[in-house]
mmCIF file of all heavy atoms in Angstrom:
data_model
loop_
_atom_site.group_PDB
_atom_site.id
_atom_site.type_symbol
_atom_site.label_atom_id
_atom_site.label_comp_id
_atom_site.label_asym_id
_atom_site.label_seq_id
_atom_site.Cartn_x
_atom_site.Cartn_y
_atom_site.Cartn_z
ATOM 1 N N HIS A 1 14.419 -15.220 12.731
ATOM 2 C CA HIS A 1 14.672 -13.941 12.237
ATOM 3 C C HIS A 1 13.534 -13.371 11.374
ATOM 4 O O HIS A 1 13.736 -12.574 10.446
ATOM 5 C CB HIS A 1 15.988 -13.882 11.340
ATOM 6 C CG HIS A 1 17.152 -14.363 12.152
ATOM 7 N ND1 HIS A 1 17.763 -13.651 13.139
ATOM 8 C CD2 HIS A 1 17.928 -15.524 12.010
ATOM 9 C CE1 HIS A 1 18.823 -14.341 13.657
ATOM 10 N NE2 HIS A 1 18.877 -15.481 13.037
ATOM 11 N N GLY A 2 12.291 -13.865 11.591
ATOM 12 C CA GLY A 2 11.155 -13.486 10.853
ATOM 13 C C GLY A 2 10.862 -11.985 11.007
ATOM 14 O O GLY A 2 10.539 -11.328 10.073
ATOM 15 N N ALA A 3 10.937 -11.498 12.270
ATOM 16 C CA ALA A 3 10.611 -10.082 12.528
ATOM 17 C C ALA A 3 11.592 -9.155 11.740
ATOM 18 O O ALA A 3 11.193 -8.197 11.138
ATOM 19 C CB ALA A 3 10.631 -9.782 13.979
ATOM 20 N N GLU A 4 12.875 -9.548 11.835
ATOM 21 C CA GLU A 4 13.873 -8.736 11.089
ATOM 22 C C GLU A 4 13.684 -8.804 9.545
ATOM 23 O O GLU A 4 13.829 -7.850 8.876
ATOM 24 C CB GLU A 4 15.219 -9.206 11.489
ATOM 25 C CG GLU A 4 16.353 -8.415 10.870
ATOM 26 C CD GLU A 4 17.731 -8.887 11.378
ATOM 27 O OE1 GLU A 4 17.835 -9.899 12.089
ATOM 28 O OE2 GLU A 4 18.736 -8.226 10.984
ATOM 29 N N TRP A 5 13.308 -10.043 9.109
ATOM 30 C CA TRP A 5 13.104 -10.221 7.694
ATOM 31 C C TRP A 5 11.907 -9.332 7.176
ATOM 32 O O TRP A 5 12.091 -8.700 6.157
ATOM 33 C CB TRP A 5 12.839 -11.681 7.332
ATOM 34 C CG TRP A 5 13.380 -12.101 5.973
ATOM 35 C CD1 TRP A 5 14.507 -12.792 5.731
ATOM 36 C CD2 TRP A 5 12.771 -11.779 4.731
ATOM 37 N NE1 TRP A 5 14.649 -12.966 4.378
ATOM 38 C CE2 TRP A 5 13.572 -12.355 3.742
ATOM 39 C CE3 TRP A 5 11.577 -11.124 4.360
ATOM 40 C CZ2 TRP A 5 13.285 -12.289 2.389
ATOM 41 C CZ3 TRP A 5 11.305 -11.006 2.995
ATOM 42 C CH2 TRP A 5 12.067 -11.551 1.992
ATOM 43 N N VAL A 6 10.790 -9.392 7.875
ATOM 44 C CA VAL A 6 9.684 -8.578 7.502
ATOM 45 C C VAL A 6 10.019 -7.082 7.516
ATOM 46 O O VAL A 6 9.708 -6.328 6.592
ATOM 47 C CB VAL A 6 8.429 -8.823 8.356
ATOM 48 C CG1 VAL A 6 7.299 -7.895 8.092
ATOM 49 C CG2 VAL A 6 7.977 -10.302 8.255
ATOM 50 N N GLN A 7 10.743 -6.672 8.539
ATOM 51 C CA GLN A 7 11.120 -5.268 8.668
ATOM 52 C C GLN A 7 12.022 -4.785 7.477
ATOM 53 O O GLN A 7 11.819 -3.731 6.856
ATOM 54 C CB GLN A 7 11.861 -5.034 9.974
ATOM 55 C CG GLN A 7 12.292 -3.572 10.212
ATOM 56 C CD GLN A 7 13.095 -3.393 11.507
ATOM 57 O OE1 GLN A 7 13.667 -4.382 11.902
ATOM 58 N NE2 GLN A 7 13.111 -2.254 12.002
ATOM 59 N N GLN A 8 12.994 -5.653 7.153
ATOM 60 C CA GLN A 8 13.915 -5.341 6.100
ATOM 61 C C GLN A 8 13.202 -5.384 4.712
ATOM 62 O O GLN A 8 13.474 -4.568 3.803
ATOM 63 C CB GLN A 8 15.169 -6.229 6.066
ATOM 64 C CG GLN A 8 16.116 -5.983 7.275
ATOM 65 C CD GLN A 8 16.581 -4.538 7.281
ATOM 66 O OE1 GLN A 8 17.128 -4.058 6.336
ATOM 67 N NE2 GLN A 8 16.437 -3.917 8.462
ATOM 68 N N GLY A 9 12.337 -6.385 4.553
ATOM 69 C CA GLY A 9 11.540 -6.438 3.342
ATOM 70 C C GLY A 9 10.690 -5.235 3.082
ATOM 71 O O GLY A 9 10.536 -4.693 2.009
ATOM 72 N N GLN A 10 10.019 -4.702 4.196
ATOM 73 C CA GLN A 10 9.232 -3.489 4.090
ATOM 74 C C GLN A 10 10.097 -2.282 3.774
ATOM 75 O O GLN A 10 9.731 -1.435 2.969
ATOM 76 C CB GLN A 10 8.493 -3.253 5.416
ATOM 77 C CG GLN A 10 7.485 -2.142 5.346
ATOM 78 C CD GLN A 10 6.228 -2.559 4.500
ATOM 79 O OE1 GLN A 10 5.457 -3.410 4.855
ATOM 80 N NE2 GLN A 10 6.094 -1.826 3.311
ATOM 81 N N LEU A 11 11.268 -2.271 4.387
ATOM 82 C CA LEU A 11 12.223 -1.153 4.132
ATOM 83 C C LEU A 11 12.692 -1.102 2.666
ATOM 84 O O LEU A 11 12.709 -0.117 2.011
ATOM 85 C CB LEU A 11 13.413 -1.251 5.095
ATOM 86 C CG LEU A 11 14.551 -0.194 4.882
ATOM 87 C CD1 LEU A 11 13.990 1.163 5.334
ATOM 88 C CD2 LEU A 11 15.724 -0.561 5.784
ATOM 89 N N TRP A 12 12.996 -2.387 2.203
ATOM 90 C CA TRP A 12 13.342 -2.439 0.717
ATOM 91 C C TRP A 12 12.212 -1.990 -0.162
ATOM 92 O O TRP A 12 12.442 -1.163 -1.104
ATOM 93 C CB TRP A 12 13.793 -3.888 0.376
ATOM 94 C CG TRP A 12 14.090 -4.123 -1.063
ATOM 95 C CD1 TRP A 12 15.311 -3.856 -1.666
ATOM 96 C CD2 TRP A 12 13.156 -4.429 -2.078
ATOM 97 N NE1 TRP A 12 15.191 -4.093 -3.027
ATOM 98 C CE2 TRP A 12 13.867 -4.443 -3.252
ATOM 99 C CE3 TRP A 12 11.829 -4.746 -2.093
ATOM 100 C CZ2 TRP A 12 13.314 -4.781 -4.574
ATOM 101 C CZ3 TRP A 12 11.221 -5.073 -3.309
ATOM 102 C CH2 TRP A 12 11.986 -5.064 -4.551
ATOM 103 N N PHE A 13 11.040 -2.498 0.075
ATOM 104 C CA PHE A 13 9.902 -2.087 -0.753
ATOM 105 C C PHE A 13 9.688 -0.586 -0.761
ATOM 106 O O PHE A 13 9.536 0.049 -1.795
ATOM 107 C CB PHE A 13 8.621 -2.816 -0.211
ATOM 108 C CG PHE A 13 7.399 -2.530 -1.100
ATOM 109 C CD1 PHE A 13 7.100 -3.376 -2.190
ATOM 110 C CD2 PHE A 13 6.648 -1.427 -0.886
ATOM 111 C CE1 PHE A 13 5.953 -3.107 -2.994
ATOM 112 C CE2 PHE A 13 5.517 -1.137 -1.649
ATOM 113 C CZ PHE A 13 5.215 -1.999 -2.729
ATOM 114 N N ASP A 14 9.640 0.020 0.440
ATOM 115 C CA ASP A 14 9.407 1.394 0.535
ATOM 116 C C ASP A 14 10.487 2.253 -0.169
ATOM 117 O O ASP A 14 10.228 3.288 -0.788
ATOM 118 C CB ASP A 14 9.302 1.883 2.002
ATOM 119 C CG ASP A 14 7.993 1.287 2.641
ATOM 120 O OD1 ASP A 14 7.060 1.002 1.954
ATOM 121 O OD2 ASP A 14 8.002 1.255 3.913
ATOM 122 N N SER A 15 11.747 1.784 -0.078
ATOM 123 C CA SER A 15 12.819 2.578 -0.704
ATOM 124 C C SER A 15 12.708 2.545 -2.161
ATOM 125 O O SER A 15 12.899 3.513 -2.843
ATOM 126 C CB SER A 15 14.157 1.947 -0.252
ATOM 127 O OG SER A 15 14.387 0.685 -0.820
ATOM 128 N N LEU A 16 12.366 1.367 -2.796
ATOM 129 C CA LEU A 16 12.125 1.307 -4.199
ATOM 130 C C LEU A 16 10.891 2.080 -4.668
ATOM 131 O O LEU A 16 10.909 2.773 -5.657
ATOM 132 C CB LEU A 16 11.985 -0.131 -4.672
ATOM 133 C CG LEU A 16 12.386 -0.520 -6.102
ATOM 134 C CD1 LEU A 16 13.884 -0.202 -6.335
ATOM 135 C CD2 LEU A 16 12.121 -1.970 -6.449
ATOM 136 N N TRP A 17 9.861 1.927 -3.881
ATOM 137 C CA TRP A 17 8.605 2.643 -4.170
ATOM 138 C C TRP A 17 8.852 4.182 -4.145
ATOM 139 O O TRP A 17 8.366 4.889 -5.089
ATOM 140 C CB TRP A 17 7.563 2.280 -3.076
ATOM 141 C CG TRP A 17 6.237 2.936 -3.268
ATOM 142 C CD1 TRP A 17 5.787 4.104 -2.731
ATOM 143 C CD2 TRP A 17 5.100 2.418 -4.022
ATOM 144 N NE1 TRP A 17 4.502 4.402 -3.123
ATOM 145 C CE2 TRP A 17 4.033 3.322 -3.873
ATOM 146 C CE3 TRP A 17 4.847 1.234 -4.765
ATOM 147 C CZ2 TRP A 17 2.840 3.118 -4.512
ATOM 148 C CZ3 TRP A 17 3.671 1.038 -5.358
ATOM 149 C CH2 TRP A 17 2.614 2.028 -5.224
ATOM 150 N N ASN A 18 9.482 4.742 -3.150
ATOM 151 C CA ASN A 18 9.692 6.119 -2.992
ATOM 152 C C ASN A 18 10.761 6.744 -3.906
ATOM 153 O O ASN A 18 10.651 7.857 -4.345
ATOM 154 C CB ASN A 18 9.990 6.498 -1.508
ATOM 155 C CG ASN A 18 8.875 6.170 -0.615
ATOM 156 O OD1 ASN A 18 7.685 6.349 -1.007
ATOM 157 N ND2 ASN A 18 9.149 5.714 0.589
ATOM 158 N N ASN A 19 11.805 5.932 -4.215
ATOM 159 C CA ASN A 19 12.976 6.509 -4.884
ATOM 160 C C ASN A 19 13.070 6.172 -6.380
ATOM 161 O O ASN A 19 13.613 6.945 -7.161
ATOM 162 C CB ASN A 19 14.285 6.079 -4.240
ATOM 163 C CG ASN A 19 14.409 6.595 -2.787
ATOM 164 O OD1 ASN A 19 14.176 7.784 -2.534
ATOM 165 N ND2 ASN A 19 14.715 5.738 -1.854
ATOM 166 N N LEU A 20 12.529 5.006 -6.751
ATOM 167 C CA LEU A 20 12.595 4.607 -8.152
ATOM 168 C C LEU A 20 11.185 4.532 -8.834
ATOM 169 O O LEU A 20 11.076 4.599 -10.054
ATOM 170 C CB LEU A 20 13.343 3.316 -8.337
ATOM 171 C CG LEU A 20 14.857 3.230 -7.916
ATOM 172 C CD1 LEU A 20 15.361 1.898 -8.168
ATOM 173 C CD2 LEU A 20 15.560 4.306 -8.758
ATOM 174 N N GLY A 21 10.157 4.355 -8.030
ATOM 175 C CA GLY A 21 8.869 4.148 -8.614
ATOM 176 C C GLY A 21 8.244 5.431 -9.226
ATOM 177 O O GLY A 21 8.439 6.504 -8.634
ATOM 178 N N GLU A 22 7.581 5.255 -10.339
ATOM 179 C CA GLU A 22 6.887 6.303 -11.027
ATOM 180 C C GLU A 22 5.357 5.949 -11.089
ATOM 181 O O GLU A 22 5.105 4.801 -11.496
ATOM 182 C CB GLU A 22 7.399 6.597 -12.399
ATOM 183 C CG GLU A 22 8.897 7.005 -12.439
ATOM 184 C CD GLU A 22 9.318 7.230 -13.840
ATOM 185 O OE1 GLU A 22 8.585 7.121 -14.804
ATOM 186 O OE2 GLU A 22 10.576 7.518 -14.030
ATOM 187 N N ASP A 23 4.519 6.818 -10.771
ATOM 188 C CA ASP A 23 3.072 6.522 -10.789
ATOM 189 C C ASP A 23 2.658 6.052 -12.182
ATOM 190 O O ASP A 23 3.085 6.698 -13.181
ATOM 191 C CB ASP A 23 2.256 7.779 -10.357
ATOM 192 C CG ASP A 23 2.371 8.087 -8.848
ATOM 193 O OD1 ASP A 23 2.671 7.107 -8.074
ATOM 194 O OD2 ASP A 23 2.175 9.216 -8.507
ATOM 195 N N PHE A 24 1.843 5.067 -12.217
ATOM 196 C CA PHE A 24 1.403 4.516 -13.520
ATOM 197 C C PHE A 24 -0.128 4.401 -13.541
ATOM 198 O O PHE A 24 -0.706 3.898 -12.639
ATOM 199 C CB PHE A 24 2.029 3.128 -13.681
ATOM 200 C CG PHE A 24 1.664 2.451 -14.997
ATOM 201 C CD1 PHE A 24 2.230 2.858 -16.154
ATOM 202 C CD2 PHE A 24 0.708 1.420 -15.026
ATOM 203 C CE1 PHE A 24 1.914 2.253 -17.397
ATOM 204 C CE2 PHE A 24 0.370 0.853 -16.221
ATOM 205 C CZ PHE A 24 0.948 1.218 -17.404
ATOM 206 N N ASP A 25 -0.713 5.018 -14.523
ATOM 207 C CA ASP A 25 -2.151 4.889 -14.761
ATOM 208 C C ASP A 25 -2.481 3.716 -15.521
ATOM 209 O O ASP A 25 -2.259 3.677 -16.773
ATOM 210 C CB ASP A 25 -2.620 6.216 -15.431
ATOM 211 C CG ASP A 25 -4.108 6.245 -15.629
ATOM 212 O OD1 ASP A 25 -4.838 5.312 -15.154
ATOM 213 O OD2 ASP A 25 -4.600 7.195 -16.246
ATOM 214 N N VAL A 26 -3.115 2.689 -14.864
ATOM 215 C CA VAL A 26 -3.428 1.488 -15.527
ATOM 216 C C VAL A 26 -4.476 1.655 -16.658
ATOM 217 O O VAL A 26 -4.552 0.835 -17.577
ATOM 218 C CB VAL A 26 -3.806 0.377 -14.554
ATOM 219 C CG1 VAL A 26 -2.700 0.084 -13.559
ATOM 220 C CG2 VAL A 26 -5.101 0.726 -13.946
ATOM 221 N N TRP A 27 -5.213 2.743 -16.558
ATOM 222 C CA TRP A 27 -6.261 2.940 -17.547
ATOM 223 C C TRP A 27 -5.802 3.863 -18.684
ATOM 224 O O TRP A 27 -6.562 4.034 -19.679
ATOM 225 C CB TRP A 27 -7.496 3.538 -16.846
ATOM 226 C CG TRP A 27 -8.026 2.760 -15.691
ATOM 227 C CD1 TRP A 27 -8.020 3.039 -14.425
ATOM 228 C CD2 TRP A 27 -8.555 1.391 -15.752
ATOM 229 N NE1 TRP A 27 -8.476 2.055 -13.674
ATOM 230 C CE2 TRP A 27 -8.849 1.017 -14.421
ATOM 231 C CE3 TRP A 27 -8.895 0.489 -16.827
ATOM 232 C CZ2 TRP A 27 -9.430 -0.185 -14.126
ATOM 233 C CZ3 TRP A 27 -9.350 -0.748 -16.473
ATOM 234 C CH2 TRP A 27 -9.642 -1.049 -15.169
ATOM 235 N N GLY A 28 -4.661 4.440 -18.556
ATOM 236 C CA GLY A 28 -4.164 5.405 -19.479
ATOM 237 C C GLY A 28 -3.339 4.826 -20.623
ATOM 238 O O GLY A 28 -2.809 5.458 -21.484
ATOM 239 N N ASP A 29 -3.213 3.490 -20.666
ATOM 240 C CA ASP A 29 -2.310 2.836 -21.620
ATOM 241 C C ASP A 29 -3.006 1.644 -22.297
ATOM 242 O O ASP A 29 -2.451 0.604 -22.444
ATOM 243 C CB ASP A 29 -1.063 2.352 -20.888
ATOM 244 C CG ASP A 29 0.106 2.086 -21.863
ATOM 245 O OD1 ASP A 29 0.022 2.595 -22.982
ATOM 246 O OD2 ASP A 29 1.048 1.409 -21.523
ATOM 247 N N LEU A 30 -4.302 1.879 -22.571
ATOM 248 C CA LEU A 30 -5.127 0.730 -23.077
ATOM 249 C C LEU A 30 -4.608 0.139 -24.416
ATOM 250 O O LEU A 30 -4.695 -1.104 -24.615
ATOM 251 C CB LEU A 30 -6.603 1.164 -23.194
ATOM 252 C CG LEU A 30 -7.290 1.524 -21.885
ATOM 253 C CD1 LEU A 30 -8.663 1.989 -22.091
ATOM 254 C CD2 LEU A 30 -7.332 0.312 -20.945
ATOM 255 N N ASP A 31 -4.137 0.966 -25.268
ATOM 256 C CA ASP A 31 -3.693 0.513 -26.584
ATOM 257 C C ASP A 31 -2.581 -0.498 -26.466
ATOM 258 O O ASP A 31 -2.497 -1.487 -27.213
ATOM 259 C CB ASP A 31 -3.261 1.661 -27.459
ATOM 260 C CG ASP A 31 -4.431 2.591 -27.898
ATOM 261 O OD1 ASP A 31 -5.603 2.038 -27.809
ATOM 262 O OD2 ASP A 31 -4.157 3.743 -28.256
#
């Protein structure tokens, strides 16, 4: 079930990235 696992893993990642993720500037929080 490797193909299905990779597909679902990518789907989960994209869903979190698109729906819950907020862009973060790694250089804007130096303090």
Side-chain angles (χ1 to χ4, degrees):
H1 304 288
E4 184 178 3
W5 211 103
V6 174
Q7 181 184 24
Q8 291 301 310
Q10 188 71 67
L11 180 65
W12 176 88
F13 182 93
D14 290 339
S15 68
L16 206 64
W17 181 270
N18 293 325
N19 296 311
L20 293 182
E22 299 179 3
D23 289 334
F24 181 76
D25 181 3
V26 299
W27 306 113
D29 201 17
L30 294 176
D31 291 339

